[in-house]
Amino acid sequence: MAEENQPGVNSVVPDDEGREKFKKSDNVAFYKRQMQGSNMQYKALLETMVLTEKGARFELLESYTQTKLLLSVTPCKNDTVKILIDELQPIKPRFRVPDVVTKEPQCEPLRVVRQSQHSVTLSWSEGCYQVCVWHSPFRLEILCEEQVMVTFNSRGKLWFEMLQDPSRAMSQRSELQENNAGGLWRETFRQFEDIKANGPSSVGSDLCLHGFSHVYGLPEHADGLQLKDTRASEPYRLYNLDVFAYELFSRLGLYGSVPLLVAHKPDRTLGLFWLNASETFVNVYYSPSDQQGDQSPLLKKRRKQPQTDVRWLSESGVIDCTVLLGPGPKHLFSQYAQLTGYQALPPLFSLGYHQSRWNYKNEADVKAVDAGFDLHDIPYDVIWLDIEHTDGKRYFTWDPALFPDPAGLQRHLEKKKRKLVVISDPHIKVDPDWSLYCEAKDGGHFVKSREGQIYRGSCWPGESCYLDFSNPDTRAWYSRCYSLDKYKGSTASLFIWNDMNEPSVFDGPEQTMPKDAVHHGGWEHRELHNLYGFHQHMATFEGLLTRSGGSERPFVLSRSFYAGSQRFGAVWTGDNVASWEYLKISVPMLLSLSVAGIGFCGADVGGFVKDPEPELLVRWYQAAALQPFFRGHSTIVSKRREPWLFGEEVTSAIRTVIEQRYCLLPYWYTLFHQAHTAGLPPLRPLWVEFPSEEITFTVDKQYMIGEALLACPVTGPGVKEIRVLLPGSGEVWYDVHSAEAFKGGSNVVLPVTLDTVPVFQRGGSVVCRSAGSGSCAADFQWLPLSITVALNSQGEAEGELYLDDGHSFSYRDRKAFSLRRFTMLSGRLLCRPASKEGTFDCDTVVQSVTFFGLKRKPSTVIVRVSGAGDTAAAFQFTETCCTLTVNNLNLRVTADWEIQIG
């Protein structure tokens, strides 16, 4: 939510004039200094090289100023290379991002391969990879099999503004009072003045990615999946902001920032992770594959290798850049997860449908909506309460008139195995009579102003103070606020939503906190701005974890995020609008988040702002049911939009896709197990699964769900047919509804109606679904399973199913899980353990198996259960679509068995 959403505001969507409150790159002094300034002339002093336990270190000398930097190069066993540059002798430490990197990867010892006065080449391990450091001008190359893949400082854009002596800074600041050269010491935007205690401290560099012409990542932006060339337009900005009804196809900053850029070509995937939490800009320059306008006779016919130049510019901190070497997309996802952490395994209920609104009015309203889902036979798991549930916007409280018995309300929902989520924002109402405010004030838990007073800004409660989540003691205090005895009216079935945590400050510059506010340790807000929401998310996660004594998995949704936020729960794309354009853009936005490690992501169904027409609402439900986080949400001035308010045709269509979502939960849950253990995002661009097929590199209207399902949501009005790319020339694809087979490597045109959701299962895969109905995830959890085996052109298939109790950490602590693998080979489907670990047992049975793509009708189908002999099974074969169905099986999914097709 943003300031414009408030009831009584004339326009819910601000006009273009309102957008002037956000900066563009022309308004940012450090960006202009770096872009317009002359290149700094750095040399690597090769004679200063020292090989250490953690790689190698060199001194860098800037020729003009004679200032020195320290370069550390650290290759790691997981095929990553860390490049760290800091001042050689800083007058005080520069800010380094804490808490994001979960553990430093194991380092590889380096050895010198070649050395001259011009360069030194270092290698490690078997020698596949090398690093070459050049003396003058300084550049650093990373090679694979003697081929340069990445060049750091290829265009000499390394930029490092030194911290200056504070006393000298004071005299310089007075000298510059009249002419503040380049915004070095103070900067003004609109009515806001930013005083820089340490003066200019920006850093930056460029990297050349050789052979690459497609790059992705850098969320969050309302833009396409492939990053665009920024030569003639705005750079990508990473600066967390509360942007209401954000502009589409924009590179301006939104709610979260992940400074991970992923480059892909048919034989290699690379990543650049720029660990810096200050305001950051990224320029992307693609070079064409052919030399244009080059008249040199020797070069005229020579084909130029494509390349992408990426330039990072940050306001402060150090240069901490990790190059992830792949070589494939899935290797890269694993490398990034090893660095910043794996996606939290969500409790099963959170993968169901969530119903939210700003705001459900009172307890009776909540119970009526809950009953409405049952009355209309629509499953759902969670109902949400926005800010109006509190007592005067005081978080951790309840409005005594509207929600007099919150614990009773939660028990009412819990009887139906459903949950309640409430909002908890980072601003605290200034109220000397409120114990929580007093406790935070007395404990020193608030951010301070540059003058050393408690910083105050305006948000939902009016005048507010902001918790300093960068302080571990504040995070611990905040976590304890979620204990059942402290959070009155809460129960173990209450979960949390962190909003407005960019942080949003209605009367602040760019509607956020001033950069010269001061945090724990004396750090200015500018150093760690993009970490603010990350740290609140962390503290909330730890609060719910502590509440259960470490036994139950938390669920926390956060609007603001940073690299590593995947460890704490889910995020969503913020204040979108009820329009077809916002539905369309939600797909590439979620794919960008997924590529950057944020796997549990979604967009508000129907759009937060304005009122969707019925067709748009149905299409949005259809799309969102095929995305990880599935929540309907709307603003306080929008019309009510529970699924049954638009007539039976709409209700029926929405019911169908929500039921299909619940039936697919075994598959979704297995995908989140893969995200949790291997770093693989549940939602994947096509190129992740088809890395050598260049036709997939720019596709962002359709995507893979895991490796088995391809989804192509309908995102336009009045659509009668849709074109779908089915990649893979040797692949077979099956329409999941009709079982019709299609050859890969082609576009197919399908007729669609309002009920049509194009989804295809890939030949060679096995997908498990729940068979039956229920009212929430807990009902579906133990239903019998229906398995679909889609054969590839060789008649083979493989897939996995992950099972545990769905809510606790027993899978981790007591290995109480079961991972089963289904393998189809030579006419035999085997169910076997996929892991030697795993002690979880349950009574879930496989009720039916359907085989897609069986060429002929079998004469017999034999079921063989380990230790129980053979049984002939009844079956149905549909010749028109080559489908075999075996029903009434009753095979325990945790037991070993096989089905032989004769």
Coordinates of all heavy atoms in Angstrom, one line a residue, residues 236-300:
Y236 N 19.0 0.4 -15.1 CA 18.2 -0.3 -14.1 C 18.6 0.2 -12.7 O 19.8 0.3 -12.4 CB 18.4 -1.8 -14.2 CG 17.8 -2.4 -15.4 CD1 18.4 -2.5 -16.6 CD2 16.4 -2.8 -15.4 CE1 17.8 -3.1 -17.7 CE2 15.8 -3.4 -16.5 CZ 16.5 -3.5 -17.7 OH 15.9 -4.0 -18.8
R237 N 17.6 0.6 -11.9 CA 17.9 1.2 -10.6 C 17.5 0.1 -9.6 O 16.4 -0.4 -9.6 CB 17.1 2.5 -10.4 CG 17.4 3.2 -9.1 CD 16.5 4.4 -8.9 NE 17.0 5.2 -7.8 CZ 16.2 6.1 -7.1 NH1 14.9 6.2 -7.4 NH2 16.7 6.8 -6.1
L238 N 18.4 -0.1 -8.6 CA 18.1 -0.9 -7.5 C 18.1 -0.1 -6.2 O 19.1 0.3 -5.6 CB 19.2 -2.0 -7.3 CG 19.3 -3.0 -8.5 CD1 20.5 -3.9 -8.3 CD2 18.0 -3.8 -8.7
Y239 N 16.8 0.3 -5.8 CA 16.6 1.2 -4.7 C 15.2 1.0 -4.2 O 14.3 1.3 -4.9 CB 16.9 2.7 -5.0 CG 17.0 3.6 -3.8 CD1 18.0 3.4 -2.9 CD2 16.0 4.6 -3.6 CE1 18.1 4.3 -1.8 CE2 16.1 5.4 -2.5 CZ 17.2 5.3 -1.6 OH 17.3 6.1 -0.5
N240 N 15.0 0.3 -3.1 CA 13.7 -0.1 -2.7 C 12.8 1.1 -2.3 O 13.1 1.9 -1.5 CB 13.8 -1.1 -1.5 CG 14.6 -2.3 -1.8 OD1 14.9 -2.6 -2.9 ND2 14.9 -3.1 -0.8
L241 N 11.6 1.1 -3.0 CA 10.7 2.2 -2.9 C 9.3 1.7 -2.9 O 8.9 0.7 -3.6 CB 10.9 3.2 -4.1 CG 12.2 4.0 -4.1 CD1 12.4 4.7 -5.4 CD2 12.3 5.0 -2.9
D242 N 8.4 2.5 -2.2 CA 7.0 2.2 -2.2 C 6.4 3.0 -3.4 O 6.1 4.2 -3.3 CB 6.4 2.7 -0.9 CG 4.9 2.6 -0.8 OD1 4.3 2.1 -1.8 OD2 4.3 3.0 0.2
V243 N 6.1 2.3 -4.5 CA 5.7 2.9 -5.7 C 4.2 2.4 -6.0 O 4.1 1.2 -6.4 CB 6.6 2.6 -6.9 CG1 6.1 3.4 -8.2 CG2 8.0 2.9 -6.6
F244 N 3.3 3.2 -5.8 CA 1.9 2.9 -6.0 C 1.5 2.8 -7.4 O 1.8 3.8 -8.2 CB 1.0 3.9 -5.2 CG -0.5 3.7 -5.3 CD1 -1.1 2.7 -4.7 CD2 -1.2 4.6 -6.1 CE1 -2.5 2.5 -4.8 CE2 -2.6 4.5 -6.2 CZ -3.2 3.4 -5.5
A245 N 0.8 1.8 -7.9 CA 0.4 1.7 -9.3 C 1.6 2.0 -10.2 O 1.5 2.8 -11.1 CB -0.8 2.6 -9.6
Y246 N 2.7 1.2 -10.0 CA 3.9 1.5 -10.7 C 3.8 1.5 -12.2 O 3.0 0.8 -12.8 CB 5.0 0.5 -10.3 CG 4.6 -0.9 -10.2 CD1 4.5 -1.7 -11.3 CD2 4.2 -1.4 -8.9 CE1 4.1 -3.1 -11.2 CE2 3.8 -2.8 -8.8 CZ 3.7 -3.6 -9.9 OH 3.3 -4.9 -9.8
E247 N 4.6 2.3 -12.9 CA 4.7 2.4 -14.3 C 5.2 1.1 -14.9 O 6.1 0.5 -14.4 CB 5.6 3.6 -14.7 CG 5.5 4.1 -16.1 CD 6.4 5.3 -16.3 OE1 6.7 6.0 -15.4 OE2 6.7 5.5 -17.5
L248 N 4.6 0.7 -16.0 CA 5.1 -0.5 -16.7 C 6.2 -0.2 -17.7 O 6.4 0.9 -18.1 CB 3.9 -1.1 -17.5 CG 2.7 -1.5 -16.6 CD1 1.7 -2.3 -17.4 CD2 3.1 -2.4 -15.4
F249 N 7.0 -1.3 -17.9 CA 8.2 -1.2 -18.8 C 9.1 -0.1 -18.4 O 9.6 0.7 -19.1 CB 7.7 -1.0 -20.3 CG 6.8 -2.1 -20.7 CD1 5.4 -1.8 -20.9 CD2 7.2 -3.4 -20.9 CE1 4.6 -2.8 -21.3 CE2 6.4 -4.4 -21.3 CZ 5.0 -4.1 -21.4
S250 N 9.4 -0.1 -17.1 CA 10.2 0.9 -16.4 C 11.4 0.2 -15.7 O 11.3 -0.9 -15.2 CB 9.4 1.7 -15.4 OG 10.2 2.5 -14.6
R251 N 12.5 0.9 -15.7 CA 13.7 0.4 -15.0 C 13.9 1.1 -13.6 O 14.9 0.9 -13.0 CB 14.9 0.6 -15.8 CG 14.9 -0.2 -17.1 CD 15.3 0.5 -18.3 NE 14.8 0.0 -19.5 CZ 15.4 0.1 -20.7 NH1 16.5 0.8 -20.7 NH2 14.8 -0.4 -21.7
L252 N 12.9 2.0 -13.3 CA 13.0 2.6 -12.0 C 12.8 1.6 -10.8 O 12.3 0.6 -11.0 CB 12.0 3.7 -11.9 CG 12.0 4.8 -13.0 CD1 10.9 5.9 -12.8 CD2 13.4 5.4 -13.1
G253 N 13.3 2.0 -9.7 CA 13.3 1.1 -8.5 C 11.9 0.8 -8.1 O 11.0 1.6 -8.1
L254 N 11.7 -0.5 -7.6 CA 10.4 -0.9 -7.0 C 10.7 -1.4 -5.6 O 11.7 -0.9 -4.9 CB 9.7 -1.9 -7.8 CG 9.1 -1.4 -9.1 CD1 8.4 -2.6 -9.9 CD2 8.1 -0.3 -8.8
Y255 N 9.9 -2.3 -5.1 CA 9.9 -2.6 -3.6 C 11.2 -3.4 -3.1 O 11.5 -3.3 -2.0 CB 8.7 -3.4 -3.3 CG 7.4 -2.8 -3.9 CD1 6.9 -3.2 -5.1 CD2 6.7 -1.8 -3.2 CE1 5.7 -2.6 -5.6 CE2 5.6 -1.2 -3.7 CZ 5.1 -1.7 -4.9 OH 3.9 -1.1 -5.4
G256 N 11.8 -4.2 -4.1 CA 12.9 -5.0 -3.6 C 14.0 -4.9 -4.6 O 13.9 -4.5 -5.8
S257 N 15.2 -5.4 -4.2 CA 16.4 -5.4 -5.1 C 17.2 -6.7 -4.9 O 17.5 -7.1 -3.7 CB 17.3 -4.2 -4.7 OG 16.6 -3.0 -4.9
V258 N 17.5 -7.4 -6.0 CA 18.4 -8.5 -5.9 C 19.5 -8.2 -7.0 O 19.2 -8.3 -8.2 CB 17.7 -9.8 -6.2 CG1 18.8 -11.0 -6.1 CG2 16.6 -10.1 -5.3
P259 N 20.7 -7.8 -6.5 CA 21.8 -7.5 -7.5 C 22.4 -8.7 -8.1 O 23.7 -8.8 -8.1 CB 22.7 -6.7 -6.6 CG 22.6 -7.3 -5.2 CD 21.1 -7.7 -5.1
L260 N 21.6 -9.5 -8.7 CA 22.1 -10.7 -9.4 C 21.7 -10.6 -10.9 O 20.6 -10.5 -11.2 CB 21.6 -12.0 -8.9 CG 21.9 -13.3 -9.6 CD1 23.4 -13.6 -9.5 CD2 21.1 -14.4 -9.2
L261 N 22.7 -10.6 -11.8 CA 22.5 -10.6 -13.2 C 22.9 -11.9 -13.7 O 24.0 -12.4 -13.4 CB 23.3 -9.4 -13.9 CG 23.2 -9.3 -15.4 CD1 23.1 -7.8 -15.8 CD2 24.4 -10.0 -16.1
V262 N 22.1 -12.5 -14.6 CA 22.3 -13.8 -15.1 C 22.5 -13.7 -16.6 O 21.6 -13.2 -17.3 CB 21.2 -14.8 -14.8 CG1 21.4 -16.2 -15.4 CG2 21.1 -15.0 -13.3
A263 N 23.6 -14.2 -17.2 CA 23.8 -14.2 -18.6 C 23.7 -15.6 -19.2 O 24.2 -16.5 -18.5 CB 25.2 -13.6 -18.9
H264 N 23.1 -15.7 -20.4 CA 23.0 -17.1 -20.9 C 23.3 -17.1 -22.4 O 22.9 -16.2 -23.1 CB 21.6 -17.6 -20.6 CG 21.3 -19.0 -21.1 ND1 21.9 -20.1 -20.6 CD2 20.6 -19.4 -22.2 CE1 21.6 -21.2 -21.3 NE2 20.8 -20.8 -22.3
K265 N 23.9 -18.2 -22.8 CA 24.1 -18.5 -24.2 C 24.0 -20.0 -24.3 O 24.0 -20.7 -23.3 CB 25.4 -18.0 -24.8 CG 26.7 -18.5 -24.1 CD 27.9 -17.9 -24.7 CE 29.2 -18.4 -24.0 NZ 30.4 -18.0 -24.7
P266 N 24.0 -20.6 -25.5 CA 23.7 -22.0 -25.6 C 24.6 -22.9 -24.8 O 24.1 -24.0 -24.3 CB 23.8 -22.3 -27.1 CG 23.4 -21.0 -27.8 CD 23.9 -19.9 -26.9
D267 N 25.9 -22.6 -24.7 CA 26.8 -23.5 -24.0 C 27.3 -23.0 -22.7 O 28.2 -23.6 -22.1 CB 28.0 -23.8 -24.9 CG 28.8 -22.5 -25.2 OD1 28.2 -21.4 -25.0 OD2 29.9 -22.6 -25.8
R268 N 26.6 -21.9 -22.1 CA 27.2 -21.4 -20.8 C 26.1 -20.5 -20.2 O 25.5 -19.7 -20.9 CB 28.5 -20.7 -21.1 CG 29.1 -19.9 -19.9 CD 29.7 -20.8 -18.8 NE 30.8 -21.6 -19.3 CZ 31.6 -22.3 -18.5 NH1 31.4 -22.2 -17.2 NH2 32.6 -23.0 -19.0
T269 N 26.0 -20.6 -18.9 CA 25.3 -19.6 -18.1 C 26.2 -19.1 -17.0 O 26.9 -19.8 -16.4 CB 24.1 -20.3 -17.4 OG1 23.3 -21.1 -18.3 CG2 23.2 -19.3 -16.7
L270 N 26.2 -17.7 -16.9 CA 27.1 -17.0 -16.0 C 26.3 -16.1 -15.1 O 25.2 -15.7 -15.5 CB 28.1 -16.1 -16.7 CG 29.4 -16.7 -17.3 CD1 30.1 -15.6 -18.0 CD2 30.2 -17.3 -16.2
G271 N 26.7 -15.8 -13.9 CA 26.1 -14.9 -13.0 C 27.0 -13.8 -12.5 O 28.2 -14.2 -12.3
L272 N 26.5 -12.6 -12.3 CA 27.3 -11.6 -11.6 C 26.5 -11.2 -10.3 O 25.3 -10.7 -10.5 CB 27.5 -10.4 -12.5 CG 28.2 -10.6 -13.8 CD1 28.3 -9.3 -14.6 CD2 29.6 -11.1 -13.6
F273 N 27.1 -11.3 -9.2 CA 26.4 -11.0 -7.9 C 27.1 -9.8 -7.3 O 28.3 -10.0 -6.8 CB 26.3 -12.2 -7.0 CG 25.6 -11.9 -5.7 CD1 24.4 -11.2 -5.6 CD2 26.3 -12.2 -4.5 CE1 23.8 -11.0 -4.4 CE2 25.6 -11.9 -3.3 CZ 24.4 -11.3 -3.2
W274 N 26.5 -8.6 -7.3 CA 27.1 -7.4 -6.8 C 26.6 -7.1 -5.4 O 25.5 -6.5 -5.3 CB 26.8 -6.3 -7.8 CG 27.4 -4.9 -7.5 CD1 26.8 -3.9 -6.8 CD2 28.6 -4.4 -8.0 NE1 27.6 -2.8 -6.8 CE2 28.7 -3.0 -7.5 CE3 29.6 -4.9 -8.8 CZ2 29.8 -2.2 -7.8 CZ3 30.7 -4.1 -9.1 CH2 30.8 -2.7 -8.6
L275 N 27.3 -7.5 -4.4 CA 26.8 -7.4 -3.0 C 27.0 -6.0 -2.5 O 28.1 -5.7 -1.9 CB 27.5 -8.5 -2.2 CG 27.1 -8.6 -0.7 CD1 25.6 -8.9 -0.6 CD2 27.8 -9.7 0.0
N276 N 26.0 -5.2 -2.7 CA 26.1 -3.8 -2.2 C 24.6 -3.4 -1.9 O 23.8 -3.5 -2.8 CB 26.7 -2.9 -3.3 CG 27.0 -1.5 -2.8 OD1 26.1 -0.8 -2.3 ND2 28.3 -1.1 -2.8
A277 N 24.4 -2.8 -0.7 CA 23.0 -2.5 -0.3 C 22.7 -1.0 -0.4 O 21.6 -0.6 -0.1 CB 22.8 -2.9 1.2
S278 N 23.6 -0.2 -0.9 CA 23.3 1.2 -1.2 C 22.6 1.3 -2.5 O 22.5 0.4 -3.3 CB 24.6 2.0 -1.1 OG 25.4 1.7 -2.2
E279 N 22.2 2.5 -2.8 CA 21.5 2.8 -4.1 C 22.5 2.4 -5.2 O 23.6 2.8 -5.3 CB 21.2 4.3 -4.2 CG 20.5 4.6 -5.6 CD 20.1 6.1 -5.7 OE1 20.5 6.9 -4.8 OE2 19.4 6.4 -6.6
T280 N 21.9 1.6 -6.2 CA 22.8 1.0 -7.2 C 22.1 1.2 -8.6 O 20.9 1.0 -8.7 CB 23.1 -0.5 -6.9 OG1 23.8 -0.6 -5.7 CG2 23.8 -1.1 -8.1
F281 N 22.9 1.5 -9.6 CA 22.4 1.5 -11.0 C 23.2 0.5 -11.8 O 24.4 0.3 -11.5 CB 22.6 2.9 -11.6 CG 21.7 4.0 -11.0 CD1 22.2 4.8 -9.9 CD2 20.5 4.2 -11.5 CE1 21.3 5.8 -9.4 CE2 19.6 5.2 -11.0 CZ 20.1 6.0 -9.9
V282 N 22.5 0.0 -12.8 CA 23.2 -1.0 -13.6 C 22.9 -0.6 -15.1 O 21.7 -0.5 -15.5 CB 22.7 -2.5 -13.4 CG1 23.5 -3.5 -14.2 CG2 22.7 -2.8 -11.9
N283 N 23.9 -0.5 -15.9 CA 23.8 -0.2 -17.3 C 24.1 -1.5 -18.0 O 25.1 -2.2 -17.7 CB 24.7 0.9 -17.8 CG 24.0 2.3 -17.6 OD1 22.9 2.5 -18.1 ND2 24.7 3.2 -16.9
V284 N 23.3 -1.8 -19.1 CA 23.5 -3.0 -19.9 C 23.7 -2.5 -21.3 O 22.9 -1.8 -21.9 CB 22.3 -3.9 -19.8 CG1 22.4 -5.1 -20.8 CG2 22.1 -4.4 -18.4
Y285 N 24.8 -2.9 -21.9 CA 25.2 -2.5 -23.3 C 25.4 -3.8 -24.1 O 26.4 -4.5 -23.9 CB 26.4 -1.7 -23.4 CG 26.4 -0.4 -22.5 CD1 27.5 -0.1 -21.7 CD2 25.3 0.4 -22.4 CE1 27.5 1.0 -20.9 CE2 25.3 1.5 -21.6 CZ 26.4 1.8 -20.9 OH 26.4 3.0 -20.1
Y286 N 24.5 -4.1 -25.0 CA 24.7 -5.2 -25.9 C 25.5 -4.8 -27.1 O 25.3 -3.7 -27.7 CB 23.3 -5.8 -26.4 CG 22.5 -6.4 -25.3 CD1 21.3 -5.8 -24.9 CD2 22.8 -7.7 -24.8 CE1 20.5 -6.4 -23.9 CE2 22.0 -8.3 -23.8 CZ 20.9 -7.7 -23.4 OH 20.1 -8.3 -22.4
S287 N 26.4 -5.7 -27.6 CA 27.1 -5.4 -28.8 C 26.6 -6.4 -29.8 O 26.4 -7.6 -29.6 CB 28.6 -5.6 -28.6 OG 29.1 -4.6 -27.8
P288 N 26.3 -5.9 -31.1 CA 25.7 -6.7 -32.1 C 26.7 -7.8 -32.5 O 27.9 -7.7 -32.3 CB 25.4 -5.8 -33.2 CG 26.3 -4.6 -33.0 CD 26.5 -4.5 -31.5
S289 N 26.2 -8.9 -33.1 CA 27.1 -10.0 -33.5 C 27.9 -9.7 -34.7 O 28.9 -10.3 -35.0 CB 26.3 -11.2 -33.7 OG 25.2 -11.0 -34.7
D290 N 27.5 -8.7 -35.5 CA 28.2 -8.3 -36.7 C 28.8 -6.9 -36.5 O 28.2 -6.0 -36.0 CB 27.3 -8.2 -37.9 CG 26.9 -9.6 -38.4 OD1 27.8 -10.4 -38.7 OD2 25.7 -9.9 -38.4
Q291 N 30.1 -6.7 -37.0 CA 30.7 -5.4 -36.9 C 29.9 -4.5 -37.9 O 29.8 -4.8 -39.1 CB 32.2 -5.5 -37.4 CG 33.0 -4.3 -37.2 CD 33.3 -4.0 -35.7 OE1 33.4 -4.9 -34.9 NE2 33.5 -2.7 -35.4
Q292 N 29.4 -3.4 -37.4 CA 28.7 -2.5 -38.2 C 29.5 -1.3 -38.7 O 30.2 -0.7 -37.9 CB 27.5 -1.9 -37.4 CG 26.5 -3.0 -36.9 CD 25.8 -3.7 -38.0 OE1 25.4 -3.0 -39.0 NE2 25.6 -5.0 -37.9
G293 N 29.5 -1.0 -40.0 CA 30.1 0.2 -40.5 C 31.6 0.1 -40.4 O 32.3 1.2 -40.5
D294 N 32.2 -1.0 -40.3 CA 33.7 -1.1 -40.2 C 34.2 -1.3 -41.6 O 34.0 -2.3 -42.2 CB 34.1 -2.2 -39.3 CG 35.6 -2.2 -38.9 OD1 36.4 -1.6 -39.7 OD2 35.9 -2.7 -37.9
Q295 N 34.9 -0.3 -42.1 CA 35.4 -0.3 -43.5 C 36.8 -0.8 -43.7 O 37.4 -0.9 -44.8 CB 35.3 1.1 -44.1 CG 33.9 1.6 -44.2 CD 32.9 0.7 -44.9 OE1 33.2 0.2 -46.0 NE2 31.8 0.4 -44.2
S296 N 37.5 -1.2 -42.6 CA 38.8 -1.7 -42.6 C 38.8 -3.0 -43.5 O 38.1 -3.9 -43.2 CB 39.4 -2.0 -41.2 OG 40.5 -2.8 -41.3
P297 N 39.7 -3.1 -44.5 CA 39.6 -4.3 -45.4 C 39.9 -5.6 -44.6 O 39.3 -6.6 -44.9 CB 40.8 -4.0 -46.4 CG 41.0 -2.5 -46.4 CD 40.6 -2.1 -45.0
L298 N 40.8 -5.5 -43.6 CA 41.1 -6.7 -42.9 C 40.0 -7.2 -42.0 O 39.8 -8.4 -41.7 CB 42.4 -6.5 -42.0 CG 43.7 -6.3 -42.8 CD1 44.8 -5.9 -41.9 CD2 44.0 -7.6 -43.6
L299 N 39.2 -6.2 -41.5 CA 38.2 -6.6 -40.5 C 36.8 -6.7 -41.1 O 35.8 -7.1 -40.5 CB 38.1 -5.5 -39.4 CG 39.4 -5.4 -38.5 CD1 39.2 -4.3 -37.5 CD2 39.7 -6.8 -37.8
K300 N 36.7 -6.2 -42.4 CA 35.3 -6.1 -43.0 C 34.6 -7.4 -43.0 O 33.4 -7.4 -42.7 CB 35.5 -5.6 -44.4 CG 34.2 -5.1 -45.0 CD 34.4 -4.3 -46.3 CE 33.1 -3.8 -46.8 NZ 33.3 -3.1 -48.1

